[in-house]
Amino acid sequence: MSNYTENDLEKDLQNQEYKYGFVTNIESDKISVGLNEDIIRLISSKKEEPNWMLDYRLKAFAVWQTMTEPEWGHVHYEKPKFDEIAYYSAPKQSKKYESWEDVDPEMKATMKKLGISMEEQMRLTGVAVDFVMDSVSVATSFKSKLSELGIIFCSFSEAVKEHPELVQKYMGTVIPTSDNFYAALNSAVFTDGSFCYIPKGVRCPMELSTYFRINEGGTGQFERTLVIADEGAYVSYLEGCTAPQRDENQLHAAVVELIALENAEIKYSTVQNWYPGDKNGLGGIYNFVTKRGICERKSKISWTQVETGSAVTWKYPSCILKGDYSIGEFYSVAVTNNYQQADTGTKMIHLGKNTKSTIISKGISAGKSQNSYRGLVQIHKNAKNARNFSQCDSLLMGDTCGAHTFPYIECKNPSAKIEHEATTSKIGEDQLFYCKQRGLSEEKAISLIVNGYCKEVLNQLPMEFAVEAQKLLAISLEGSVG
Amino acid sequence: MINIVNLHAEVEEKKILKGLNLNVKAGEIHAIMGPNGSGKSTLASILAGKEDYTVTEGNVEFDGKDLLELSTEDRARQGLFLAFQYPIEIPGVSNVNFLKSALNEIREYRGEQPISAKDFLALVKEKSALVELDSKLASRSVNEGFSGGEKKRNEIFQMAMLNPKLAILDETDSGLDIDALRIVANGVNKLRSPKNAAIIITHYQRLLDYIIPDFVHVLYDGKIVKSGGKELALELEEKGYDWIKEELASNAD
Ligand SMILES: Nc1ncnc2c1ncn2[C@@H]1O[C@H](COP(=O)(O)OP(=O)(O)OP(=O)(O)O)[C@@H](O)[C@H]1O
Ligand SMILES: [Mg+2]
């Protein structure tokens, strides 16, 4: 009789190899390591930036130098050595691609391995993809269709050159350079990212999607994303990523700013699957991200994230509910395995009257990992009738992992209604037995149970993304059996 | 179909089954009755492959194979089905998704193609009608928030969907109202064929008015201590178990 127990499962999980571990051999143009004003000037000049952008970077650098790395997260790791990082890396390509056919075949192969298949996506799904290989955008599609509607969707560098008035008006308004250590660092050295502007009253007819990929050993990647939905506009934005297997830790400190003007709506979805390190906790990505959105009157921002990768995650997609009747949502699944550590959650800052926020967080921990939810619900003095509902569930697999919940509530208006629910459960032997009695394998059973547990969050994702996310959950949690 | 010989089993050093014998042939229905705690559910769990129990002696042959050598899922794939006394809830997983996954894994094991969406839906329609299962329940999460009776009915629905060779029903009748009892029994009867068999664990002879068993057994203290035809159930209903215990005690003298 087979005696496949939860212990065996745990072992299988620990032996699970990272599926997307490979390195693409494209020559890179890499700036020598280290960080100082000269390096920043060099980055700026390589990118042919205007002076105001360089000034912004230098100011941020000055601020960053006065700051220290935060230590309040429930994570332990060796601090990155900031002067040993190469701050800029661009695939060495003399000319830009005119069309998809011109794209380097090796790059296409990489995308295939990622399961992206650009051709398929371009033809079938109506998803416009701005593919970021290391730090420079190499392929952009559907541009013409979008521009007919006045939608701007381009790399951040291009926006700096082509739409300086928009970038200058909004950049840093949600996340000031002084916000935190990593945001300041990003503001000083960011290399590229995405920019998106939806004009007044326009509903973006397709999901906008960017695949990020870190591809150069020792290259910190500092993405910068700015999404602006003008009055009455709507956009659904997808961000997803995988990274090649590496032994050294790679720092990723992105900044994402969302601006939803009156009556606008932004849906921002992330599937994150960066290299989590091996089963002994060696290597893996440090993911220290600052994501925040601001909501004007009657607008809505919805963050959905499925986080399965990275060795250390430190991430709190947040909403500032400034306008009356604005809505903020946060739906999150965070999976940690082996020695992964995640400290993630959200901040909902209620400033306006009748503002509403919802937080649904599902943590799944396996192996020797640590999984923490950290959330702040803040109701300001003038936020009459503010409402929040929070639900934080933790699922444990085995008993060598940890799940923690740190909910903070600050309420300065007595009319507020705040509800918080939290549960912790283990994957039940009874559930597994029941599934197996119906003919399901252990892996399939776990995949079903876990996907069921995360359903409320997965339901928020656009269809194609939800399928990918389910696969990712299965990959991160199933054994290597079969 | 299944032949259980001298089965001994224990859990946490506690002996529960103490030399149980039972032979069920294709086409037969056997009822097992017996006082609380006598080991009925334990027997069902061991046959299904629950890992908590240790078989210390005896063997079980199922459809020509050594049952105890097979994993839980392979037993299911070879056609053994257990309707649980306490069905388990799986939040967020719809009944139909659950069954489609199960059905396809069973088909894959047998070297068959996955069932098409169209055929699957037709099957759901047919089988849910058989047990008069509300179509809403078919799309709800597996057993989550189901009433006690609905859970039992759902077990029979699943059984109908998977069409097992041997079905073990553990107190499927308890918690069912009178109409539901008749419906569930009807469902079981319709699935009856010369090719399959069922073991029905129950406390009440009432169910056996609807599903007529070929044999009735009394399980007491880990053993089958008495077997007979359907009239044995009537006798038990009338007299309880004391007379059997007395019979056993005097035999032991
Ligand atoms: N996992 C277990 N750990 C400890 N004892 C157990 C376990 N499973 C069963 N038992 C014990 O074994 C005995 C038989 O239990 P079982 O559930 O098989 O009885 P049953 O005949 O199905 O009773 P009922 O008619 O009440 O359903 C009981 O005394 C029970 O407490
Ligand atoms: Mg029982």
Side-chain angles (χ1 to χ4, degrees), chain A residues 25-42:
Chain A
N25 291 316
I26 296 173
E27 265 185 81
S28 289
D29 165 10
K30 196 156 107 180
I31 285 183
S32 62
V33 299
L35 185 54
N36 52 49
E37 278 201 13
D38 289 342
I39 292 281
I40 290 168
R41 282 176 204 283
L42 190 60

Side-chain angles (χ1 to χ4, degrees), chain A residues 1-5 429-431 433-442 444-445 448-449 451-453 455, chain B residues 50-51 68-69 73 75-77 80-82 84 88-93 98 101-102 105-106 143 155 158:
Chain A
M1 177 155 81
S2 129
N3 268 325
Y4 194 84
T5 63
E429 286 288 340
D430 287 349
Q431 283 178 331
F433 178 63
Y434 189 75
C435 291
K436 289 199 258 182
Q437 208 301 306
R438 299 302 186 245
L440 295 166
S441 63
E442 178 103 11
K444 186 73 194 174
L448 272 178
I449 294 167
N451 279 313
Y453 167 78
K455 198 176 179 183
Chain B
K50 197 162 166 76
E51 280 147 9
L68 301 178
E69 283 298 316
E73 54 271 37
R75 295 176 195 198
R77 293 161 182 172
L80 186 144
F81 181 92
L82 171 61
F84 284 61
I88 308 295
E89 302 188 355
I90 310 178
V93 179
F98 178 70
S101 305
E105 285 215 27
I106 292 171
N143 293 324
E155 292 292 286
Q158 293 187 19

